[in-house]
Amino acid sequence: MTPLLALSTGVLFATGMYMLLRRSIVKILIGLVLMGHGANLLILTSAGILRGSPPLIPQGEERIADAHADPLPQALILTAIVISFAIVSFACVLVKRAYEIAGTDDTEAMRSSELPIGSDPGGADT
Amino acid sequence: MSAQLLITLPVLIPITGAVLCILAWRSTHAQRAINLTASLALLAAAILLVMRTSAGEIPTVRLGAWPAPVAINFIGDAFSAIMVLLNAIVAVAGALYALGATPKAHERSGYHPLMLSLIGACSGAFTTGDLFNLYVWFEVMLLSSFVLLSLGGSRPQLESAVKYVTLNLLSSFLFLSAIGLTYALVGTLNLAAIAERLAASEDRSLFTPVIGLLLVGFGIKGGLFPFFFWLPASYHTPSPVVSGVFAGLLTKVGVYAIIRTTQLFAPGWSIDGGVIAHALIWISGLTMVTGVLGAAVQQDMRRILSFHIVSQVGYMVMGLAIAGVAFDSAQAPGIDPAQRTALMGAGALALTGTVFYILHHIIVKANLFFVAGIVEQLEGTGELPRIGGLYKRRPLLAALFFIPAMSLSGIPILSGFWGKFILVRAGLESGADIIVAVSLAVSLATLFSMTKIWANVFWAPPPPASPNDTQRPTSPTIAPPTPARTACMYTACGAMALVTIAIGFGAGFAVDLAETAGAQLTDPTPYIQALLPTDAPTDIELTAGEVTP
Amino acid sequence: MNSVILRTTTVFILPLLLMLSLIVLLRGHNEPGGGFVGGLLASAAFTLYVLAAGAKAARHLLHVHPITLAGAGLLFALISGVMSIVAGHPLFDALWTDTKIIGQVKIGTPLLFDIGVYLTVCGVVCAIAFQLSESAEDARDPSPDEADPEGGTL
């Protein structure tokens, strides 16, 4: 199972990086989402995939007797998912506004904050 | 006040303020009052914290009374306390400055709660003792900063926000991956527990990649050499108070994380032949040089200052790298004991210099951006060719610019001089001559940049009004000037200039503080013991399962 | 969206979803569920209404401004953490009472925290959904250039 998950992590990072290098901001956003998934899967995989019962202490006992899954990576991933949910939903709004204002989704044309003042950033007429 | 409560307050106060601001979102007046009150309360708490920690105490709290390695925690050693204090100073100055600079539309879109949550998240990042919580505070900070950056929604702002969001999210995911690998390596994310288990572990082959991945993640956030491009593309676009607070605080959170993690995780710096320390030397040099050269070609006040953030971050990393090289050489086998002591001393001095430099830089840089904001408010633009003659019309403003600008370039007696002085001395003592020479050359180039702004904005005669400039240009991200607003902004800048002068003339006090922090960074044992008391249960078996093939 | 089927069924599904979200919130103490999932379910209910009847009607149905909802949620969460300081424990230590509601849910600060999360998630997601839908409606039905006071943010 672990090699398969490791491979999936690699594929997610690779595709995410490929999408990040595209020029369209929507594709960049998709790339970021994929890399986020890759990072979460990496945490799950690198913490060790275990076959065991849920990490709940039975009533009346002090600790878990038999094999159990490690709860910490799952808690970490859950938190990371919630955070990326918030950030990606903001990024969606941002990308949409940027598209509306700039009139393009091409990052090459979105350079008005970098070019010298007064030069035409282009793209607004497309 | 109990130590547990005291270390909670720097996070609790701004977050409470942010919540109250959200509830009072209909009234901008109430929000302003809440922002100012919360910032002042934060300053009071930070001063108390610094007083406690400078005596050597390290207050710690574990949330929910969980045991040491698993609890969410806050810890404040001298370095953390200094950072929280700087955070609070910038917060107070920002809240005061915002009264005059922030347009009403921004306030209605949530400027005040966002700024408070940004400040709270910075406090959290400075005081947390857990790698994953550091990630969470980073994300809270970034989310607030994303929205603050795009408040107003003009084209340059949105375009720069896209770059800012993309690169910072990328850095977050790299950091998250590093967290996953760290957990795989040592099975814990408590900073002290990581440090202990790393020091005890036999197989060190994975250390360099994991620490390298952490450094890349933090390096993007801190604006280090190959990763800084998002910074000068975005910092000049938002409202001046936002860019002032960003300039002062955000990159320094990345630098703080680099210093904290490298000092804890690579004790002695000697893994893989000191490769991390030597890489940092190169990175710091290139960061300094590219930053200052980038500034040289710019023709806009805030853009010049943004590039200078990059070059100044290089100085801080240079201090850390000098310390790293010194600690690495001190570990060499067969070294003379006297020489080892000298090298360890030089390393501690370099860390002291780094802390002092951060202390000086946050105040000065935020101040310069605030002054640039006043210029933009008065003239409607920050472009050097289009303004001039401010020295005659606004002598006080000229003085307010002159003090932090000279401090930034390291003119003697002002705070920047002492920072550079300590770093240069530590560099010479540990034999890092070349990087010291580079830093001095960069210092000269910084002086050139500051002179350029001074000569163009304040001394040069105002440019002749061109016939098609029928009306004064106005900046959409700054509220139009009124006497009351200008007074608020001048007060904020003046207060920060006074702090700069105070650090310069009373350098002894600041150096003492930085020295305590440097000593605690050099020998993190008290930090580790405070975070991971020896009576903590060590038998918490986290991976009791059976690994499937 | 202009679909008779969607509009008719939403009237029945909306209250069911809201009730389900409350059940998920309350069972979250010892079983799968909790404030975050519950809040998402509740906001899904309102998002469905946005699709069926438009953002304006959904704002009217929600009655309070979504940001106020989120603020109230954050306040609840904060109070649940600070109460333990007042009682002399570290921040966010759980305090329990012996009272139970609906037979099995014990009242304590974790429940208050969960309710806070529920309200925050519901408020924030609703705010984003309303904002996105309103700007889409504006794009479809271009009105004279009026400055958006929200400035494109939440």
Side-chain angles (χ1 to χ4, degrees):
Chain A
M1 194 63 194
T2 308
L4 196 64
L5 283 174
L7 197 68
S8 320
T9 311
V11 169
L12 279 171
F13 267 104
T15 45
M17 190 45 94
Y18 174 73
M19 293 300 265
L20 260 185
L21 297 175
R22 305 293 292 270
R23 282 167 61 170
S24 157
I25 46 178
V26 179
K27 287 175 182 157
I28 291 175
L29 187 62
I30 293 173
L32 284 173
V33 173
L34 286 176
M35 287 194 79
H37 294 334
N40 287 335
L41 203 56
L42 178 71
I43 296 182
L44 186 74
T45 317
S46 60
I49 307 297
L50 304 168
R51 180 167 290 165
S53 52
L56 295 174
I57 300 173
Q59 197 145 27
E61 298 201 13
E62 283 291 306
R63 53 191 307 151
I64 316 168
D66 47 344
H68 61 274
D70 183 358
L72 192 67
Q74 301 178 20
L76 301 184
I77 294 167
L78 195 62
T79 316
I81 287 175
V82 172
I83 291 172
S84 38
F85 167 75
I87 292 183
V88 167
S89 53
F90 169 72
C92 285
V93 177
L94 176 73
V95 160
K96 187 161 174 293
R97 296 284 300 190
Y99 172 71
E100 281 169 5
I101 299 268
T104 172
D105 71 337
D106 185 352
T107 44
E108 281 293 305
M110 292 191 164
R111 301 189 60 193
S112 63
S113 71
E114 281 175 87
L115 295 176
I117 304 135
S119 61
D120 177 29
D125 48 342
T126 52
Chain B
M1 194 186 299
S2 84
Q4 285 200 341
L5 184 57
L6 184 61
I7 189 66
T8 321
L9 284 180
V11 180
L12 204 56
I13 292 170
I15 298 289
T16 311
V19 171
L20 293 178
C21 277
I22 294 176
L23 287 174
W25 65 277
R26 280 177 203 281
S27 160
T28 48
H29 288 289
Q31 290 191 31
R32 288 172 177 185
I34 294 169
N35 191 351
L36 204 55
T37 316
S39 305
L40 286 170
L42 176 65
L43 184 63
I47 291 174
L48 280 178
L49 188 63
V50 168
M51 279 161 57
R52 282 278 185 101
T53 51
S54 60
E57 193 187 342
I58 302 183
T60 319
V61 67
R62 292 177 196 85
L63 297 201
W66 285 84
V70 289
I72 292 174
N73 50 32
F74 292 117
I75 175 166
D77 65 348
F79 186 29
S80 299
I82 290 172
M83 297 305 283
V84 169
L85 178 63
L86 295 167
N87 188 13
I89 293 174
V90 173
V92 172
L96 195 60
Y97 188 86
L99 297 179
T102 312
K104 202 96 179 164
H106 291 198
E107 288 184 296
R108 276 199 295 269
S109 313
Y111 164 80
H112 293 288
L114 287 165
M115 187 52 89
L116 280 171
S117 63
L118 181 80
I119 298 290
C122 288
S123 287
F126 292 143
T127 52
T128 187
D130 184 287
L131 203 56
F132 191 77
N133 287 331
L134 186 63
Y135 167 77
V136 172
W137 290 121
F138 265 25
E139 295 305 285
V140 177
M141 194 176 88
L142 286 175
L143 194 58
S144 319
S145 64
F146 294 163
V147 187
L148 280 173
L149 191 62
S150 54
L151 272 184
S154 69
R155 181 168 178 186
Q157 277 181 298
L158 290 173
E159 291 182 5
S160 64
V162 168
K163 286 161 209 160
Y164 183 89
V165 169
T166 309
L167 279 167
N168 278 289
L169 264 181
L170 180 65
S171 113
S172 295
F173 292 141
L174 293 178
F175 180 21
L176 196 59
S177 310
I179 288 176
L181 293 175
T182 312
Y183 190 73
L185 213 58
V186 290
T188 176
L189 292 176
N190 181 298
L191 288 180
I194 299 176
E196 280 198 337
R197 292 192 197 178
L198 281 182
S201 76
E202 297 290 320
D203 174 26
R204 302 198 161 187
S205 55
L206 265 176
F207 280 22
T208 308
V210 170
I211 294 174
L213 201 55
L214 275 177
L215 284 185
V216 173
F218 296 147
I220 296 178
K221 289 192 204 294
L224 289 189
F225 164 61
F227 317 117
F228 64 84
F229 296 99
W230 57 272
L231 195 156
S234 60
Y235 270 25
H236 61 94
T237 57
S239 138
V241 55
V242 172
S243 52
V245 172
F246 280 19
L249 289 177
L250 291 198
T251 44
K252 263 55 74 183
V253 180
V255 175
Y256 167 85
I258 291 179
I259 296 174
R260 177 68 81 202
T261 47
T262 45
Q263 268 310 110
L264 275 176
F265 295 175
W269 293 82
S270 50
I271 44 169
D272 287 350
V275 58
I276 290 173
H278 289 103
L280 277 180
I281 287 266
W282 277 96
I283 289 173
S284 67
L286 288 167
T287 309
M288 282 190 276
V289 172
T290 41
V292 89
L293 290 182
V297 296
Q298 294 295 326
Q299 288 295 329
D300 177 283
M301 273 182 92
R302 279 203 272 169
R303 292 190 194 201
I304 296 176
L305 294 173
S306 303
F307 271 102
H308 275 295
I309 300 177
V310 177
S311 96
Q312 303 284 311
V313 163
Y315 275 98
M316 300 164 201
V317 177
M318 177 185 88
L320 178 72
I322 289 174
V325 171
F327 292 147
D328 177 37
S329 345
Q331 304 259 317
I335 191 170
D336 179 47
Q339 204 185 349
R340 169 172 297 168
T341 321
L343 277 171
M344 292 301 282
L349 187 66
L351 287 176
T352 305
T354 310
V355 175
F356 189 93
Y357 205 88
I358 296 176
L359 181 90
H360 133 82
H361 170 87
I362 289 182
I363 308 281
V364 164
K365 192 49 107 178
N367 196 358
L368 282 171
F369 269 87
F370 285 169
V371 173
I374 299 183
V375 172
E376 277 185 45
Q377 189 185 44
L378 292 172
E379 301 292 302
T381 174
E383 295 164 47
L384 299 185
R386 293 172 66 184
I387 35 186
L390 275 179
Y391 180 70
K392 264 190 186 151
R393 282 182 288 147
R394 309 266 167 181
L396 186 59
L397 185 63
L400 284 180
F401 175 79
F402 188 76
I403 294 167
M406 289 304 110
S407 181
L408 190 78
S409 5
I411 298 298
I413 297 300
L414 288 165
S415 57
F417 168 73
W418 299 108
K420 283 177 184 164
F421 180 74
I422 302 174
L423 284 179
V424 165
R425 205 183 125 194
L428 293 178
E429 276 180 21
S430 57
D433 301 341
I434 299 173
I435 192 77
V436 166
V438 170
S439 81
L440 289 175
V442 168
S443 193
L444 209 61
T446 309
L447 185 60
F448 161 73
S449 265
M450 291 300 123
T451 327
K452 184 170 87 179
I453 297 183
W454 173 260
N456 270 296
V457 176
F458 294 99
W459 266 359
S466 64
N468 43 7
D469 265 6
T470 45
Q471 71 187 74
R472 232 177 108 265
T474 51
S475 173
T477 52
I478 311 176
T482 63
R485 284 189 180 140
T486 314
C488 287
M489 293 160 81
Y490 269 65
T491 315
C493 293
M496 293 191 92
L498 281 182
V499 175
T500 312
I501 295 175
I503 297 176
F505 280 91
F509 177 70
V511 170
D512 281 349
L513 268 183
E515 217 162 19
T516 316
Q520 283 178 355
L521 282 170
T522 312
D523 177 21
T525 323
Y527 184 86
I528 291 175
Q529 268 167 3
L531 203 51
L532 200 65
T534 36
D535 56 345
T538 47
D539 64 332
I540 292 185
E541 200 53 60
L542 290 172
T543 47
E546 170 195 344
V547 180
T548 58
Chain C
M1 203 177 293
N2 200 3
S3 148
V4 181
I5 299 172
L6 185 67
R7 262 182 292 155
T8 319
T9 47
T10 302
V11 177
F12 297 101
I13 293 175
L14 180 77
L16 277 178
L17 269 175
L18 286 179
M19 271 194 285
L20 184 66
S21 76
L22 282 179
I23 293 171
V24 169
L25 164 70
L26 290 179
R27 83 195 283 270
H29 178 52
N30 271 333
E31 282 167 277
F36 185 75
V37 189
L40 276 182
L41 267 173
S43 61
F46 285 107
T47 313
L48 185 68
Y49 198 71
V50 170
L51 292 177
K56 206 176 168 190
R59 271 191 201 277
H60 188 70
L61 182 74
L62 188 61
H63 215 74
V64 291
H65 195 280
I67 293 300
T68 313
L69 205 62
L74 285 172
L75 189 69
F76 280 0
L78 198 66
I79 289 173
S80 79
V82 177
M83 268 164 82
S84 60
I85 290 191
V86 178
H89 298 259
L91 188 70
F92 277 108
D93 201 2
L95 303 174
W96 292 102
T97 60
D98 285 331
T99 328
K100 288 184 176 181
I101 51 166
I102 329 177
Q104 50 186 345
V105 184
K106 245 166 98 176
I107 295 184
T109 50
L111 180 66
L112 190 63
F113 185 81
D114 245 6
I115 294 174
V117 173
Y118 176 92
L119 291 177
T120 309
V121 171
C122 183
V124 170
V125 178
C126 280
I128 294 175
F130 292 170
Q131 171 85 35
L132 280 176
S133 157
E134 271 161 7
S135 58
E137 279 163 22
D138 288 348
R140 231 179 294 129
D141 175 29
S143 52
D145 268 359
E146 52 181 290
D148 180 5
E150 297 274 312
T153 61
L154 311 183

